[in-house]
Amino acid sequence: MRKIGFKAVGARLTLRRHSRRHVNWTLSIAVFSTLVTIGLVALYLMQETPEFP
């Protein structure tokens, strides 16, 4: 039981190290496009408010 726990911890640390080096481009592009969309919607909504010049 103890050996399995150490193997699981070792695998998790190895997986974490690998994910730092390898960039998930699909996730990065999805997050970036979502932020751009939210920004554009916010600008559109702010355009209709009278306080926005």
Side-chain angles (χ1 to χ4, degrees), residues 1-25:
M1 180 74 175
R2 193 174 210 171
K3 208 176 218 183
I4 294 172
F6 285 128
K7 283 184 180 180
V9 170
R12 182 68 181 155
L13 289 174
T14 304
L15 202 84
R16 183 181 294 166
R17 224 178 315 152
H18 178 68
S19 66
R20 283 186 186 165
R21 286 189 223 151
H22 181 68
V23 177
N24 188 354
W25 288 109

Side-chain angles (χ1 to χ4, degrees), residues 23-49:
V23 177
N24 188 354
W25 288 109
T26 306
L27 181 62
S28 300
I29 291 171
V31 168
F32 179 73
S33 64
T34 301
L35 291 174
V36 168
T37 303
I38 290 171
L40 289 173
V41 169
L43 284 174
Y44 177 75
L45 293 175
M46 287 175 61
Q47 179 184 3
E48 296 178 357
T49 60

